[in-house]
């Protein structure tokens, strides 16, 4: 039986992104892998875990459709706490952290990839994904325009 690298992927809204899928396929091309997706809950409480579980299941389904077998777990809303709860150095050989790109990423604002490397003692592959724009499900809000169109008259200042 061939040795499989055990890869932990930490992702939330980016878990189903093409960038994450490409990174996993690239890694699988190097040799067999066993993948676990750790998805922090969206917020505290049952509703937050339920929402994350739906996103986790959708991501895993997409990965399976692409030929990657994986398992997943929902964690604490704080990704660092979720990692501490799930981390077992005997269970994983590699870590991939997936974030949104740039300033739209809360995880990058507090340097999650670096913090994960410090906690795990492993090199961390950081994958960034562009945010997907959500399709609009309703018409755009109606704008109220001034009676004079784009120009507005202002009363002169009196001194």
């Amino acid at each position: 039986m061939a040795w499989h690298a055990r890869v932990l992927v930490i992702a939330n809204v980016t878990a189903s992104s093409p960038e994450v899928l490409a990174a996993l396929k690239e890694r699988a091309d190097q040799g067999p892998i066993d993948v676990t997706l750790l998805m922090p809950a969206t917020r505290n409480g049952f509703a937050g875990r339920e929402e994350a579980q739906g996103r986790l299941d959708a991501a895993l389904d997409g990965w399976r459709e692409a030929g990657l077998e994986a398992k997943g777990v929902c964690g604490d809303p704080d990704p660092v706490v979720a990692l501490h709860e799930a981390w077992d150095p005997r269970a994983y050989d590699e870590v991939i952290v997936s974030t949104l790109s740039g300033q739209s990423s809360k995880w990058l604002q507090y340097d999650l990839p670096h913090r994960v490397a410090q906690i795990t003692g492993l090199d961390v592959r950081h994958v960034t994904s562009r945010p997907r724009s959500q399709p609009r499900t309703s018409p755009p809000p109606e704008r109220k325009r001034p009676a004079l169109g784009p120009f507005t008259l202002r009363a002169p200042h009196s001194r």
Side-chain angles (χ1 to χ4, degrees):
M1 184 173 161
W3 178 82
H4 289 221
R6 299 158 303 173
V7 180
L8 177 65
V9 178
I10 304 171
N12 198 321
V13 298
T14 59
S16 296
S17 72
E19 293 87 354
V20 170
L21 192 55
L24 288 171
K25 284 182 175 183
E26 179 183 305
R27 178 56 191 88
D29 288 344
Q30 297 172 16
I33 57 174
D34 290 326
V35 181
T36 300
L37 172 57
L38 172 59
M39 183 172 290
T42 53
R43 57 186 179 278
N44 285 316
F46 178 76
R49 287 202 184 254
E50 192 172 71
E51 184 180 328
Q53 185 66 51
R55 193 169 21 258
L56 175 83
D57 292 342
L60 293 176
D61 287 346
W63 293 4
R64 287 183 190 112
E65 287 175 14
L68 297 165
E69 284 302 314
K71 58 186 175 186
V73 61
C74 286
D76 188 88
D78 180 329
V80 173
V81 173
L83 175 62
H84 277 290
E85 291 174 351
W87 180 246
D88 177 354
R90 297 167 302 202
Y92 304 106
D93 304 303
E94 302 174 24
V95 180
I96 296 173
V97 175
S98 175
T99 68
L100 292 170
S101 58
Q103 294 185 345
S104 61
S105 173
K106 291 178 185 174
W107 289 6
L108 281 181
Q109 290 173 10
Y110 60 86
D111 198 18
L112 183 64
H114 184 252
R115 291 175 74 180
V116 169
Q118 288 178 319
I119 293 166
T120 64
L122 298 173
D123 290 334
V124 172
R125 179 168 180 186
H126 179 212
V127 175
T128 58
S129 300
R130 289 185 305 276
R132 289 186 175 181
S133 59
Q134 296 294 326
R136 184 170 286 186
T137 58
S138 62
E142 189 174 314
R143 291 187 178 167
K144 296 190 181 212
R145 298 194 184 264
L148 297 175
F151 302 105
T152 304
L153 297 176
R154 297 183 188 260
H157 289 84
S158 57
R159 290 186 189 209

